[in-house]
CSV table of all heavy atoms in Angstrom, one decimal:
chain,number,residue,atom,x,y,z
A,16,GLU,N,-12.1,-95.0,19.2
A,16,GLU,CA,-11.8,-94.5,18.0
A,16,GLU,C,-11.7,-93.0,18.0
A,16,GLU,O,-12.5,-92.3,18.7
A,16,GLU,CB,-12.8,-95.0,16.9
A,16,GLU,CG,-12.8,-96.5,16.7
A,16,GLU,CD,-13.7,-96.9,15.5
A,16,GLU,OE1,-14.5,-96.0,15.1
A,16,GLU,OE2,-13.7,-98.0,15.1
A,17,PHE,N,-10.8,-92.4,17.2
A,17,PHE,CA,-10.7,-91.0,17.2
A,17,PHE,C,-10.3,-90.5,15.8
A,17,PHE,O,-9.7,-91.2,15.0
A,17,PHE,CB,-9.7,-90.4,18.2
A,17,PHE,CG,-8.3,-90.7,17.9
A,17,PHE,CD1,-7.5,-89.9,17.1
A,17,PHE,CD2,-7.7,-91.9,18.4
A,17,PHE,CE1,-6.2,-90.2,16.8
A,17,PHE,CE2,-6.3,-92.2,18.1
A,17,PHE,CZ,-5.6,-91.2,17.2
A,18,ALA,N,-10.6,-89.2,15.5
A,18,ALA,CA,-10.1,-88.6,14.3
A,18,ALA,C,-9.6,-87.1,14.7
A,18,ALA,O,-10.2,-86.5,15.6
A,18,ALA,CB,-11.1,-88.5,13.3
A,19,GLN,N,-8.6,-86.7,14.1
A,19,GLN,CA,-8.0,-85.4,14.4
A,19,GLN,C,-7.8,-84.6,13.1
A,19,GLN,O,-7.2,-85.1,12.2
A,19,GLN,CB,-6.7,-85.4,15.2
A,19,GLN,CG,-6.8,-86.0,16.6
A,19,GLN,CD,-5.4,-85.8,17.3
A,19,GLN,OE1,-4.9,-84.7,17.3
A,19,GLN,NE2,-4.9,-86.8,17.9
A,20,GLU,N,-8.3,-83.4,13.2
A,20,GLU,CA,-7.9,-82.4,12.1
A,20,GLU,C,-7.0,-81.4,12.7
A,20,GLU,O,-7.3,-80.7,13.7
A,20,GLU,CB,-9.2,-81.7,11.6
A,20,GLU,CG,-10.2,-82.6,10.9
A,20,GLU,CD,-11.4,-81.9,10.3
A,20,GLU,OE1,-11.4,-80.6,10.4
A,20,GLU,OE2,-12.4,-82.6,10.0
A,21,ILE,N,-5.8,-81.3,12.1
A,21,ILE,CA,-4.8,-80.5,12.8
A,21,ILE,C,-4.2,-79.5,11.8
A,21,ILE,O,-3.9,-79.8,10.6
A,21,ILE,CB,-3.6,-81.4,13.2
A,21,ILE,CG1,-4.1,-82.5,14.2
A,21,ILE,CG2,-2.5,-80.5,13.9
A,21,ILE,CD1,-3.0,-83.5,14.5
A,22,ASN,N,-4.2,-78.2,12.2
A,22,ASN,CA,-3.5,-77.2,11.4
A,22,ASN,C,-2.3,-76.7,12.2
A,22,ASN,O,-2.5,-76.2,13.4
A,22,ASN,CB,-4.5,-76.1,11.1
A,22,ASN,CG,-3.7,-74.9,10.5
A,22,ASN,OD1,-3.5,-73.9,11.1
A,22,ASN,ND2,-3.5,-74.9,9.2
A,23,MET,N,-1.1,-76.7,11.7
A,23,MET,CA,0.1,-76.3,12.4
A,23,MET,C,0.7,-75.2,11.6
A,23,MET,O,1.0,-75.4,10.4
A,23,MET,CB,1.0,-77.4,12.7
A,23,MET,CG,0.5,-78.4,13.6
A,23,MET,SD,1.7,-79.8,13.9
A,23,MET,CE,1.7,-80.6,12.3
A,24,VAL,N,1.1,-74.0,12.2
A,24,VAL,CA,1.8,-73.0,11.5
A,24,VAL,C,3.1,-72.6,12.3
A,24,VAL,O,3.0,-72.4,13.5
A,24,VAL,CB,0.9,-71.7,11.4
A,24,VAL,CG1,1.6,-70.6,10.6
A,24,VAL,CG2,-0.4,-72.1,10.6
A,25,LEU,N,4.2,-72.6,11.6
A,25,LEU,CA,5.4,-72.2,12.2
A,25,LEU,C,6.0,-71.0,11.5
A,25,LEU,O,6.1,-71.0,10.2
A,25,LEU,CB,6.4,-73.4,12.1
A,25,LEU,CG,7.9,-73.1,12.6
A,25,LEU,CD1,7.9,-72.9,14.1
A,25,LEU,CD2,8.8,-74.3,12.3
A,26,GLN,N,6.3,-69.9,12.2
A,26,GLN,CA,6.8,-68.7,11.6
A,26,GLN,C,8.0,-68.2,12.3
A,26,GLN,O,8.2,-68.3,13.5
A,26,GLN,CB,5.7,-67.6,11.6
A,26,GLN,CG,4.5,-68.0,10.7
A,26,GLN,CD,3.8,-66.7,10.2
A,26,GLN,OE1,3.8,-66.4,9.1
A,26,GLN,NE2,3.2,-66.0,11.1
A,27,LEU,N,8.9,-67.7,11.5
A,27,LEU,CA,10.2,-67.2,12.0
A,27,LEU,C,10.4,-65.8,11.4
A,27,LEU,O,10.1,-65.5,10.2
A,27,LEU,CB,11.4,-68.0,11.6
A,27,LEU,CG,12.7,-67.7,12.1
A,27,LEU,CD1,12.9,-68.1,13.6
A,27,LEU,CD2,13.8,-68.3,11.2
A,28,ALA,N,10.8,-64.8,12.2
A,28,ALA,CA,11.1,-63.5,11.7
A,28,ALA,C,12.3,-62.9,12.4
A,28,ALA,O,12.5,-63.1,13.6
A,28,ALA,CB,9.9,-62.5,12.0
A,29,ALA,N,13.2,-62.3,11.6
A,29,ALA,CA,14.4,-61.6,12.2
A,29,ALA,C,13.9,-60.4,13.0
A,29,ALA,O,12.9,-59.7,12.7
A,29,ALA,CB,15.3,-61.1,11.1
A,30,GLY,N,14.4,-60.3,14.2
A,30,GLY,CA,14.0,-59.2,15.1
A,30,GLY,C,13.2,-59.8,16.3
A,30,GLY,O,13.4,-60.9,16.6
A,31,THR,N,12.3,-59.0,16.9
A,31,THR,CA,11.6,-59.4,18.0
A,31,THR,C,10.1,-59.9,17.6
A,31,THR,O,9.8,-59.8,16.4
A,31,THR,CB,11.4,-58.3,19.1
A,31,THR,OG1,10.8,-57.2,18.5
A,31,THR,CG2,12.8,-57.9,19.5
A,32,SER,N,9.4,-60.3,18.6
A,32,SER,CA,8.0,-60.8,18.2
A,32,SER,C,7.1,-59.8,17.6
A,32,SER,O,6.1,-60.2,16.9
A,32,SER,CB,7.3,-61.3,19.5
A,32,SER,OG,7.4,-60.5,20.6
A,33,GLU,N,7.4,-58.5,17.7
A,33,GLU,CA,6.5,-57.5,17.0
A,33,GLU,C,6.8,-57.6,15.5
A,33,GLU,O,6.0,-57.1,14.7
A,33,GLU,CB,6.8,-56.1,17.5
A,33,GLU,CG,8.1,-55.6,17.2
A,33,GLU,CD,8.3,-54.1,17.5
A,33,GLU,OE1,7.6,-53.7,18.5
A,33,GLU,OE2,9.0,-53.4,16.9
A,34,ASN,N,7.9,-58.2,15.0
A,34,ASN,CA,8.1,-58.4,13.6
A,34,ASN,C,7.4,-59.6,13.0
A,34,ASN,O,7.4,-59.7,11.8
A,34,ASN,CB,9.6,-58.6,13.4
A,34,ASN,CG,10.4,-57.4,13.8
A,34,ASN,OD1,11.1,-57.4,14.8
A,34,ASN,ND2,10.3,-56.3,13.0
A,35,LEU,N,6.7,-60.3,13.8
A,35,LEU,CA,5.9,-61.4,13.3
A,35,LEU,C,4.6,-60.9,12.7
A,35,LEU,O,4.1,-60.0,13.2
A,35,LEU,CB,5.5,-62.5,14.4
A,35,LEU,CG,6.6,-63.3,14.9
A,35,LEU,CD1,6.2,-64.0,16.3
A,35,LEU,CD2,7.1,-64.4,14.0
A,36,PRO,N,4.1,-61.5,11.5
A,36,PRO,CA,2.9,-61.0,10.9
A,36,PRO,C,1.8,-61.1,11.9
A,36,PRO,O,1.7,-62.0,12.7
A,36,PRO,CB,2.7,-62.0,9.8
A,36,PRO,CG,4.1,-62.6,9.5
A,36,PRO,CD,4.8,-62.6,10.8
A,37,ALA,N,0.8,-60.2,11.8
A,37,ALA,CA,-0.3,-60.2,12.7
A,37,ALA,C,-1.4,-61.2,12.4
A,37,ALA,O,-2.2,-61.5,13.2
A,37,ALA,CB,-1.0,-58.8,12.6
A,38,ASP,N,-1.3,-61.8,11.2
A,38,ASP,CA,-2.3,-62.8,10.8
A,38,ASP,C,-2.0,-64.2,11.1
A,38,ASP,O,-2.6,-65.1,10.5
A,38,ASP,CB,-2.6,-62.7,9.3
A,38,ASP,CG,-1.4,-62.9,8.4
A,38,ASP,OD1,-0.3,-63.1,9.0
A,38,ASP,OD2,-1.6,-63.0,7.2
A,39,GLU,N,-1.0,-64.5,12.0
A,39,GLU,CA,-0.6,-65.9,12.3
A,39,GLU,C,-1.4,-66.5,13.4
A,39,GLU,O,-0.9,-67.5,14.0
A,39,GLU,CB,0.9,-66.0,12.4
A,39,GLU,CG,1.6,-65.0,13.3
A,39,GLU,CD,1.3,-65.2,14.8
A,39,GLU,OE1,1.7,-66.1,15.4
A,39,GLU,OE2,0.6,-64.3,15.3
A,40,ALA,N,-2.5,-65.9,13.9
A,40,ALA,CA,-3.3,-66.5,14.9
A,40,ALA,C,-3.9,-67.8,14.4
A,40,ALA,O,-4.1,-68.0,13.2
A,40,ALA,CB,-4.4,-65.5,15.3
A,41,PRO,N,-4.2,-68.7,15.4
A,41,PRO,CA,-4.9,-69.9,15.0
A,41,PRO,C,-6.2,-69.7,14.2
A,41,PRO,O,-6.8,-68.7,14.3
A,41,PRO,CB,-5.2,-70.6,16.3
A,41,PRO,CG,-4.3,-70.0,17.2
A,41,PRO,CD,-4.1,-68.6,16.8
A,42,LYS,N,-6.5,-70.6,13.3
A,42,LYS,CA,-7.7,-70.6,12.5
A,42,LYS,C,-8.9,-70.6,13.4
A,42,LYS,O,-8.9,-71.1,14.5
A,42,LYS,CB,-7.7,-71.7,11.5
A,42,LYS,CG,-6.7,-71.5,10.4
A,42,LYS,CD,-6.9,-72.6,9.4
A,42,LYS,CE,-5.9,-72.5,8.2
A,42,LYS,NZ,-6.0,-73.5,7.2
A,43,ASP,N,-10.0,-70.2,12.9
A,43,ASP,CA,-11.3,-70.3,13.6
A,43,ASP,C,-11.4,-69.5,14.9
A,43,ASP,O,-12.0,-69.9,15.8
A,43,ASP,CB,-11.7,-71.8,13.9
A,43,ASP,CG,-11.8,-72.5,12.6
A,43,ASP,OD1,-12.3,-72.0,11.6
A,43,ASP,OD2,-11.5,-73.7,12.6
């Protein structure tokens, strides 16, 4: 038996990866 708690975040930004928000790191 198992249980999973999953948080998934998908972000897109025009430009390069430096244009992604800095706060999109995984939780905890």
Side-chain angles (χ1 to χ4, degrees):
E16 292 185 354
F17 71 88
Q19 290 191 51
E20 295 180 12
I21 305 172
N22 171 261
M23 297 180 290
V24 179
L25 175 66
Q26 293 207 114
L27 183 78
T31 61
S32 50
E33 71 174 26
N34 298 104
L35 289 166
D38 61 353
E39 45 74 66
K42 290 183 176 180
D43 301 322

